[in-house]
Amino acid sequence: MEDIHVMLASRWPSYSHKKPLPLFAPDPQFAPSLFSMLLAISPSNFHHAKELSPLKEVFFLLFGYEEITEEKLPSAQYSILEYALCDAHLWEETLVCLGELHKAAILPKEHVQTLAGMALHVEPTPTFSLDMPVAEGFDFHGQKEALLKVAHTLFYELLESQSLKETCQSVIQRLGDTAFSIGITGVMNAGKSTFLNALLKQEILGTSTVPETANLAIIKHASAPQAIVHFWNAAEWESIEQSAQNSESMARFVETTKARFGAEWATLVRPEGVSQTIPLETLGQFTSAKLSEGKCNLVKCVELYTDVALAKEGISIVDTPGLDDPVVQREEITKQYLVQCDVMIHLMNASQSATKKDVDFIIDALTYQRISRLVILITRVDMLSSAELEEVIEYTTRSITNQLKSLGKAQLIEPILKKIAIFPVAGELALWHRTGRAKEALARGYDEEQTGILAIERYLHEVLFGKENERATLAIGANTKALRLACEQQHTQYGAHLARLDVSVEELERRYDALKEQNVRANLERLLEELERLKGEFESYLATMKQFASSRFATLRAELLRRLASDITYTLRKESRFPKSERLEMMIYTAVKDGLMDTLREYRFALYRHMGAQSESLSVEYATVCAIEPLTFDPKAYIDEAAKKGLLSADNSLLSDALCGLVARASKKQTEPLFEAMEKTIATFFEQLEHKSMPRLYEVGSEMVAQFYAQTQAPAQEARAQIDEEEKALKEALALALSEQKTLDVRKQELRQKRAGLEEVMAYFDGVRP
């Protein structure tokens, strides 16, 4: 540090290698400006500067002394220089601040040049090497880890732009959050728990821990096993009680549950909802139909955290209650979870395969819930011969085909069957192989491969992590593209930085003044303020959309009654009988599902029209400062939106049962009383449906507003960041232009090395083919 002593001794006559003052290291964000303020003090301005309150505050903040004295200040400047010259970036920022003081006529140019000539006490940045093999083919886990390594390397070693560093942080977060899920469904006693235990390679569910599980269970990874039990909240239980008005089984469920708990009821069913964290081994006391003494009736769902291998791979599993559960709300919740799953596995007992409940659920999942992959498992196949198994599989396919034809959706037969894979599995024997009972399974003539469990695992791994999984390839492809773009932008910026370092001080000052005089920043700020105003206006407009949606529900309700009444009247006149219940159920099912889809489509389009005009106007008005893409409306996206928000998960079985019951008891000679009763029943159903759907519709609208805001704000923010980067770069170039040649050469070398590192990363990306 001898050069610092020499410089200070030449400036302060009284300075003679005095002991440095202990420095309280400030926040790196503010250090350059604080350091520059004290380094700007010299003998010529000392007596004036020492009385300035801001300088006294800085001196106290950094060194703890309230007064600036001629004895302490040189030692303080030594401490600052010793600290700052060991950090190239910090010193560069400090020089920028000193340059600003010179431009403001506070600091002589010679003073800045002297400080800029101080040698850094750090070694030049070593040559960068990625040292990572290029992935061959598609390997989700390998490429994910590689991208994380690249993102961290870019963030900590190669990028200087703050906005591009934020891009890296976003990539790291997205990759960290990338997870996949499997949904397990089936009627009760289909063998779900046995199969799932075999898949997890330990008995987490089933007779050993959770006998006769009656609740939705979400299995996730954690090193310390535990469970979180979530009870129905007051509003959800009210919905269950309303459903009981049209169902005897639901009415019995409600009555016995409330009678069982008495005063304890108020502690478990609360407006805000109650959750309890419990040891995994005690879960049966809350969820088992046998062990919980009815408490499972109040449980909405549970989260199980365990250290099993499948969960470690980033896979969560949703184990659902039986489809024939009397509580329809559980089925609706099941469907809302399943729509987020990458794969749905539906189990059917070989002796009771392809029941009407099975087929209806499968078709509903693939047409309205937008499930992209469905695995049908034929369980307990060890009880069947090969010929019997082939017959079961053929019957299953035929049942699905026939049901689609009866629903008038024959055009969907081929695309739906392409989404289905059918596997036989001997779940109990597979579980034996994985829980120390392999000899017993072998004695039955089944090795592990013959149980079917290995074939299912291979299929799931390919579907979840292979190149056919759109979400997996998108996660790799989109994040690769984001990092590659960040590299390209920073590479270009470094090239521009290097070019500036060969420009004269006069030219740099001219460019800086020209940038400050431009009105672009002001226009961008005005655009961002306008976007904030429009966002608030659109959010207020969502409240008025409630009436729009309510009128669509009223239309849908009236249309359903009209269709049913017309069909009943026609059938009575032509055939002197009421329509069959299967026909009525089909009419109710399609009217409710398709009606909800149409409602969402019209809702989204109405919002789009309201926002689209503003988007187009902004893109024209601010075309000179940034490019805003007008909003576009995808007429097909509403189906996916409806599925994701659970709008199509509404169960119409209670409505069908109630209406078919009314028809069965009605007189053929007097239909008016029947139609009046049907109208009341439909009105009650749609009142409940509207109550549940409105918050979900509002959520769709809120996401559209957020999309509008993000889509229009992003280019303005990017343009503003570019101006900030340009201004910062010009300041740095000016500071370096005022420094000695050695400091300038160090910076040029650093930029060239980082640029070379970016080129190596881009070459790596050229070899990655997601």
Side-chain angles (χ1 to χ4, degrees):
M1 303 294 181
E2 188 61 31
D3 55 336
I4 303 178
H5 288 303
V6 171
M7 189 275 293
L8 290 174
S10 67
R11 177 173 297 177
W12 298 92
S14 60
Y15 180 79
S16 59
H17 289 219
K18 295 181 180 178
K19 186 177 180 181
L21 293 184
L23 170 68
F24 300 107
D27 186 323
Q29 181 180 355
F30 304 108
S33 59
L34 299 178
F35 288 173
S36 64
M37 293 171 71
L38 294 185
L39 290 175
I41 304 176
S42 65
S44 62
N45 61 23
F46 173 77
H47 292 290
H48 173 67
K50 71 174 185 176
E51 302 300 330
L52 296 177
S53 295
L55 291 178
K56 293 169 72 174
E57 290 176 7
V58 171
F59 198 72
F60 179 77
L61 178 66
L62 295 179
F63 298 100
Y65 294 99
E66 295 183 354
E67 297 296 328
I68 304 176
T69 66
E70 194 166 358
E71 180 183 7
K72 290 186 175 66
L73 181 63
S75 297
Q77 289 182 338
Y78 179 92
S79 298
I80 290 172
L81 290 169
E82 183 184 43
Y83 183 87
L85 287 169
C86 289
D87 185 328
H89 180 70
L90 173 60
W91 183 237
E92 288 166 11
E93 292 292 317
T94 303
L95 289 176
V96 169
C97 293
L98 289 167
E100 288 294 304
L101 293 176
H102 163 62
K103 289 192 67 176
I106 296 174
L107 195 62
K109 182 177 180 179
E110 295 75 17
H111 194 142
V112 178
Q113 289 177 327
T114 299
L115 289 170
M118 300 295 295
L120 288 170
H121 299 155
V122 293
E123 295 297 323
T125 306
T127 302
F128 171 80
S129 176
L130 189 61
D131 190 26
M132 188 164 61
V134 174
E136 296 182 4
F138 183 77
D139 172 14
F140 175 78
H141 290 301
Q143 287 177 247
K144 174 183 173 181
E145 290 305 312
L147 283 179
L148 284 170
K149 180 178 179 180
V150 169
H152 281 94
T153 299
L154 289 172
F155 184 88
Y156 290 107
E157 298 183 38
L158 298 179
L159 298 181
E160 292 183 2
S161 166
Q162 187 58 40
S163 61
L164 296 179
K165 282 191 165 190
E166 289 171 2
T167 296
C168 282
Q169 286 180 312
S170 297
V171 167
I172 292 168
Q173 182 177 352
R174 286 197 299 268
L175 287 171
D177 292 342
T178 301
F180 301 94
S181 57
I182 300 171
I184 313 292
T185 67
V187 299
M188 289 185 180
N189 299 317
K192 297 194 305 298
S193 294
T194 300
F195 163 73
L196 187 50
N197 286 333
L199 195 63
L200 296 173
K201 300 182 181 181
Q202 59 179 274
E203 292 193 78
I204 293 176
L205 301 171
T207 53
S208 68
T209 306
V210 192
E212 296 188 10
T213 307
N215 306 95
L216 185 78
I218 305 153
I219 302 170
K220 301 178 182 179
H221 177 259
S223 54
Q226 64 175 10
I228 302 176
V229 179
H230 302 282
F231 295 91
W232 300 107
N233 63 37
E236 290 165 339
W237 185 262
E238 182 182 357
S239 175
I240 291 175
E241 292 196 2
Q242 290 175 347
S243 301
Q245 297 173 13
N246 296 320
S247 169
E248 291 183 9
S249 61
M250 283 287 290
R252 287 194 299 272
F253 173 87
V254 169
E255 183 180 353
T256 55
T257 302
K258 296 192 77 170
R260 157 68 182 81
F261 288 98
E264 189 183 1
W265 178 271
T267 66
L268 297 175
V269 181
R270 299 178 62 83
E272 70 278 12
V274 174
S275 299
Q276 292 182 18
T277 300
I278 60 172
L280 190 59
E281 59 270 17
T282 66
L283 187 59
Q285 299 171 19
F286 293 83
T287 62
S288 166
K290 284 183 178 178
L291 303 181
S292 68
E293 297 182 344
K295 189 173 287 187
C296 63
N297 291 0
L298 298 184
V299 175
K300 176 173 63 174
C301 64
V302 298
E303 295 176 73
L304 310 182
Y305 292 88
T306 180
D307 198 27
V308 296
L310 203 62
K312 283 182 179 178
E313 288 192 81
I315 299 173
S316 61
I317 299 172
V318 180
D319 182 31
T320 69
L323 299 182
D324 36 7
D325 191 312
V327 184
V328 297
Q329 280 75 10
R330 283 195 187 128
E331 185 169 334
E332 290 187 18
I333 291 174
T334 293
K335 290 176 179 178
Q336 290 175 37
Y337 272 100
L338 290 177
V339 76
Q340 308 297 333
C341 290
D342 297 276
V343 182
M344 187 175 87
I345 300 178
H346 185 77
L347 285 79
M348 297 190 300
N349 190 323
S351 61
Q352 300 172 331
S353 63
T355 65
K356 186 176 185 304
K357 189 74 175 177
D358 287 315
V359 173
D360 286 347
F361 182 80
I362 289 169
I363 291 175
D364 186 74
L366 294 174
T367 53
Y368 294 104
Q369 301 306 311
R370 310 298 285 174
I371 299 296
S372 58
R373 290 294 184 101
L374 172 66
V375 178
I376 295 178
L377 293 191
I378 311 296
T379 64
R380 300 173 186 170
V381 294
D382 48 310
M383 309 300 292
L384 301 179
S385 65
S386 297
E388 289 172 329
L389 177 59
E390 288 298 324
E391 184 179 342
V392 168
I393 293 173
E394 192 278 331
Y395 175 72
T396 299
T397 304
R398 187 171 68 249
S399 298
I400 294 171
T401 300
N402 291 340
Q403 181 68 345
L404 284 168
K405 288 179 179 178
S406 69
L407 290 171
K409 298 183 182 293
Q411 76 278 7
L412 297 179
I413 292 174
E414 185 177 352
I416 280 182
L417 291 180
K418 283 184 178 179
K419 295 180 180 180
I420 297 175
I422 301 178
F423 288 88
V425 63
E428 187 173 21
L429 299 178
L431 181 60
W432 288 0
H433 271 286
R434 296 177 167 196
T435 54
R437 300 175 63 186
K439 289 184 179 180
E440 295 176 61
L442 291 169
R444 293 274 295 271
Y446 281 81
D447 62 22
E448 192 172 14
E449 183 71 47
Q450 288 171 314
T451 66
I453 191 70
L454 297 179
I456 295 164
E457 286 179 334
R458 289 192 292 268
Y459 177 83
L460 289 175
H461 198 274
E462 177 59 29
V463 166
L464 292 175
F465 303 121
K467 62 183 179 180
E468 299 302 320
N469 186 346
E470 183 178 343
R471 203 157 73 83
T473 55
L474 181 63
I476 298 300
N479 287 303
T480 298
K481 182 177 180 181
L483 292 180
R484 174 64 192 253
L485 183 60
C487 287
E488 291 174 350
Q489 291 176 344
Q490 186 71 89
H491 188 269
T492 300
Q493 289 176 14
Y494 285 159
H497 289 349
L498 284 166
R500 289 188 195 94
L501 297 183
D502 291 326
V503 175
S504 68
V505 173
E506 291 72 19
E507 174 61 17
L508 288 172
E509 290 179 338
R510 187 194 65 76
R511 292 183 187 180
Y512 184 78
D513 292 339
L515 180 66
K516 298 292 284 186
E517 289 173 6
Q518 290 177 3
N519 203 33
V520 176
R521 188 190 295 274
N523 285 332
L524 288 172
E525 295 299 334
R526 188 162 60 89
L527 170 58
L528 290 169
E529 289 175 5
E530 176 70 3
L531 290 176
E532 285 289 345
R533 185 191 67 79
L534 285 174
K535 182 184 178 185
E537 177 188 309
F538 293 150
E539 288 172 346
S540 299
Y541 181 73
L542 288 177
T544 67
M545 290 294 291
K546 184 175 181 180
Q547 184 60 39
F548 171 90
S550 186
S551 67
R552 295 303 184 273
F553 276 102
T555 301
L556 178 55
R557 180 180 66 194
E559 179 62 18
L560 175 58
L561 179 62
R562 186 195 65 76
R563 288 185 189 180
L564 292 173
S566 176
D567 194 71
I568 289 171
T569 302
Y570 177 83
T571 306
L572 282 173
R573 186 170 66 248
K574 289 293 185 180
E575 303 177 20
S576 299
R577 63 172 181 81
F578 287 114
K580 292 183 179 179
S581 59
E582 291 82 359
R583 175 171 175 77
L584 295 176
E585 289 173 0
M586 181 194 70
M587 292 177 66
I588 295 165
Y589 175 82
T590 55
V592 171
K593 296 288 187 179
D594 292 343
L596 283 171
M597 286 170 56
D598 290 340
T599 298
L600 181 68
R601 177 176 54 190
E602 293 169 8
Y603 181 90
R604 291 182 78 244
F605 188 65
L607 274 176
Y608 160 74
R609 283 186 304 178
H610 186 70
M611 294 190 295
Q614 292 289 354
S615 174
E616 189 171 346
S617 174
L618 289 173
S619 67
V620 173
E621 184 177 356
Y622 293 95
T624 58
V625 292
C626 64
I628 298 176
E629 294 292 331
L631 285 183
T632 56
F633 180 75
D634 181 359
K636 296 180 180 180
Y638 73 95
I639 301 177
D640 294 320
E641 289 292 335
K644 284 192 296 184
K645 301 305 173 193
L647 282 160
L648 303 182
S649 64
D651 190 283
N652 54 278
S653 59
L654 291 180
L655 177 64
S656 295
D657 291 345
L659 293 177
C660 288
L662 291 174
V663 172
R665 296 188 295 271
S667 168
K668 297 178 183 178
K669 296 181 179 180
Q670 290 185 310
T671 55
E672 284 304 315
L674 169 63
F675 294 155
E676 289 176 3
M678 290 176 68
E679 183 176 14
K680 291 181 181 179
T681 302
I682 291 173
T684 300
F685 172 81
F686 272 91
E687 181 182 346
Q688 297 171 9
L689 182 62
E690 183 175 346
H691 178 72
K692 288 187 291 187
S693 300
M694 281 300 187
R696 297 170 186 170
L697 281 170
Y698 185 86
E699 188 177 349
V700 169
S702 296
E703 287 189 358
M704 288 183 67
V705 171
Q707 178 191 357
F708 164 84
Y709 183 70
Q711 184 173 320
T712 49
Q713 185 195 46
Q717 295 280 27
E718 183 178 345
R720 186 169 65 176
Q722 289 175 351
I723 293 176
D724 291 341
E725 290 287 348
E726 177 72 11
E727 186 176 324
K728 179 181 176 182
L730 284 170
K731 285 182 178 180
E732 178 194 0
L734 274 168
L736 288 169
L738 294 169
S739 67
E740 68 174 22
Q741 189 63 39
K742 182 179 178 181
T743 304
L744 184 62
D745 290 342
V746 168
R747 178 55 175 159
K748 285 183 177 180
Q749 179 65 15
E750 181 184 31
L751 288 173
R752 291 190 189 101
Q753 288 174 341
K754 288 187 175 182
R755 210 162 183 246
L758 291 172
E759 288 166 2
E760 183 174 346
V761 175
M762 289 188 285
Y764 168 79
F765 284 141
D766 288 339
V768 176
R769 294 290 179 266

